Amino acid sequence: MKRKISAKAVLALYLALCLVLAGCGKNQETEEGQQPETEASASPSASPSATPQPTPTPSPEPVTVTIQENGTEVDALSCMTSEVFQLQAVSSDGSTGGEWSSSNSETATVDVNGVVTCIKAGSVKITYTLGTATATCSLTITEPTVKILFGGAVKSDITLNSLWGFEIQLTAQVTPEDAAYEWTVDDPTIVSVSETGLVTALKAGTTTVHCKCGTAKASCVIRITENPPQAQGGTTTATATPDPNDTTPRVVITFWGEPSTDFTVRVGASVDMDYKLYNISGDQSVTWSIEDPEYATVDANGVVTGVKETTGEVTYTKLICTCGDVTGEAVVRVAKAA
């Protein structure tokens, strides 16, 4: 027998079903909404090793300094007394403001700009300090030497005649060989001297020419006479180069082509002298002699050798060159051996 379901029962059943379905949807929304919270809350509770750590900051490199000269790094230099030059300090980070110092200010000094002045021979260290960084340059300072030469012979006294008006070329012998030097003269109105050592007689008188190299200096007395020098007793000991209009026969003693009326030779040393003849015809052979061979000797070729120092009453002897009956003479001064 069939039972008939009423409309009220159907409606009640429909409402019950809707309530069930609504409850299921709400539970699903709750689970889905809480899932991100669960994951998010699970993340902080993860293992400590998963937490990001800060990157360590590297330690700065220590500052270093070097010493340079003209852009080249140096740790040792050689120089001469009185030489002045500048060093530069370069730091690895470009910083400045360090201090310069010398291990011996009596040997060499250095100023705040790195300018070094060499004072005397010896060894010294120049140091630059910037914070905890330092750099050092060792200096070896030498004393130069200088000699004045004329014609290859060391000279300390030369006599010229102003009537000749000629020039003589002096040369300097210095050590070290590449060392710079300069020429000066005490009285430039008597003679002039060029930067190359060329001496020109200007008027009668006596002055001194100097050649300076660092703190070393050599000097040569230059005597300019109006007439040839006079020997003891007033007799002429040498003849000046004659006037072109003078036809008198003459013998003139020369040294390296220049008239020489007065020269100095040391004991044991030799000087090669020569001669010029004026207005002499016929036999032009010559002979050489020394007035007093106790002090100097001369051979057949005019080579004069010092024997004994001329001091006290005897301040010189004479070199004589003879051609026939014409003679030329020059004063010879003998200095002690070097």
Side-chain angles (χ1 to χ4, degrees):
M1 178 174 145
K2 296 182 179 180
R3 296 183 65 178
K4 186 177 179 180
I5 301 174
S6 65
K8 289 183 178 181
V10 172
L11 179 60
L13 180 61
Y14 175 76
L15 292 174
L17 180 60
C18 288
L19 290 173
V20 172
L21 291 176
C24 292
K26 186 174 182 180
N27 291 337
Q28 184 177 4
E29 289 177 3
T30 302
E31 291 176 0
E32 290 176 356
Q34 291 177 347
Q35 184 67 26
E37 295 178 4
T38 302
E39 292 177 355
S41 62
S43 179
S45 63
S47 173
S49 61
T51 303
Q53 299 296 319
T55 303
T57 303
S59 301
E61 293 291 332
V63 177
T64 60
V65 293
T66 59
I67 293 177
Q68 297 184 2
E69 184 193 25
N70 296 325
T72 301
E73 184 176 344
V74 293
D75 57 16
L77 290 172
S78 296
C79 48
M80 296 189 308
T81 54
S82 80
E83 190 172 346
V84 178
F85 58 93
Q86 185 168 23
L87 297 176
Q88 301 85 39
V90 179
S91 63
S92 58
D93 65 350
S95 58
T96 59
E99 295 183 355
W100 291 94
S101 61
S102 169
S103 63
N104 188 339
S105 58
E106 293 183 355
T107 302
T109 61
V110 59
D111 69 7
V112 294
N113 298 312
V115 177
V116 177
T117 302
C118 302
I119 300 173
K120 67 178 183 179
S123 298
V124 64
K125 291 184 177 181
I126 302 299
T127 301
Y128 180 77
T129 303
L130 180 64
T132 59
T134 62
T136 299
C137 180
S138 299
L139 300 184
T140 300
I141 304 173
T142 57
E143 180 74 48
T145 63
V146 58
K147 298 178 181 178
I148 294 177
L149 282 69
F150 175 52
V154 177
K155 303 296 289 185
S156 61
D157 196 313
I158 299 175
T159 298
L160 309 178
N161 192 298
S162 62
L163 296 180
W164 290 329
F166 64 82
E167 301 170 331
I168 60 172
Q169 180 64 61
L170 301 180
T171 58
Q173 184 182 80
V174 300
T175 56
E177 293 184 355
D178 59 348
Y181 56 87
E182 62 177 354
W183 294 94
T184 60
V185 60
D186 288 346
D187 190 342
T189 66
I190 296 176
V191 302
S192 64
V193 60
S194 72
E195 62 182 11
T196 62
L198 181 66
V199 176
T200 302
L202 301 178
K203 69 176 185 179
T206 300
T207 187
T208 304
V209 169
H210 307 281
C211 183
K212 186 177 181 181
C213 176
T215 56
K217 183 173 70 173
S219 302
C220 182
V221 176
I222 305 294
R223 309 176 192 278
I224 307 300
T225 62
E226 289 287 359
N227 296 296
Q230 302 293 310
Q232 296 170 349
T235 59
T236 300
T237 61
T239 304
T241 304
D243 185 285
N245 297 319
D246 184 354
T247 59
T248 305
R250 299 180 186 275
V251 176
V252 175
I253 294 175
T254 64
F255 181 69
W256 277 54
E258 301 293 353
S260 180
T261 61
D262 190 323
F263 64 94
T264 301
V265 61
R266 291 186 179 275
V267 173
S270 298
V271 179
D272 191 358
M273 306 302 292
D274 207 342
Y275 64 93
K276 288 182 180 180
L277 304 179
Y278 295 88
N279 305 314
I280 296 179
S281 58
D283 186 3
Q284 297 191 349
S285 60
V286 302
T287 58
W288 293 92
S289 61
I290 290 286
E291 184 180 60
D292 192 342
E294 178 183 357
Y295 296 96
T297 61
V298 61
D299 67 11
N301 297 313
V303 178
V304 179
T305 302
V307 175
K308 178 181 176 182
E309 183 181 3
T310 52
T311 58
E313 294 182 358
V314 179
T315 58
Y316 61 86
T317 184
K318 289 191 296 182
L319 172 66
I320 303 168
C321 183
T322 303
C323 180
D325 58 357
V326 182
T327 62
E329 299 177 347
V331 168
V332 181
R333 306 178 192 275
V334 184
K336 63 181 180 181

